[in-house]
Amino acid sequence: MKEYEVVHEIFNQCSNNQMRDVFIEEVPIEDLEQYVVSRHQGERDFSYEREDLADGTVIYHVNTSGLLQRYTFTEI
């Protein structure tokens, strides 16, 4: 099992507030996709897209009923 730094960003939908919620943690993860899906079980209209960067970073772009979120995984 690999250990990752996970940056979870939740983008604010308010037009006058450009800030976003950002959560950072170090987590041992066996399967990145399973990790992301398990965080959103039971949410309506859940979809995601994976992006692999050249440096090994993996980004999941998540949409849950119009709320945009991003998970960035960097192996430690």
Side-chain angles (χ1 to χ4, degrees):
M1 188 175 306
K2 297 179 181 179
E3 189 160 338
Y4 293 89
E5 176 187 74
V6 181
V7 179
H8 178 204
E9 300 169 89
I10 303 172
F11 295 91
N12 194 321
Q13 293 180 314
C14 298
S15 60
N16 292 331
N17 185 349
Q18 299 302 315
M19 298 301 292
R20 59 183 169 241
D21 294 328
V22 179
F23 305 94
I24 301 171
E25 60 183 337
E26 293 180 3
V27 183
I29 301 173
E30 190 168 325
D31 182 341
L32 297 178
E33 183 174 347
Q34 180 183 350
Y35 177 84
V36 171
V37 170
S38 71
R39 301 281 305 249
H40 297 281
Q41 283 184 339
E43 293 186 23
R44 296 182 339 192
D45 300 324
F46 169 70
S47 64
Y48 63 91
E49 184 177 307
R50 179 180 170 142
E51 178 182 0
D52 293 278
L53 303 183
D55 67 357
T57 300
V58 178
I59 301 173
Y60 279 86
H61 302 277
V62 174
N63 185 339
T64 54
S65 299
L67 179 63
L68 301 178
Q69 301 180 50
R70 179 170 52 213
Y71 290 89
T72 304
F73 297 92
T74 306
E75 191 173 345
I76 298 174

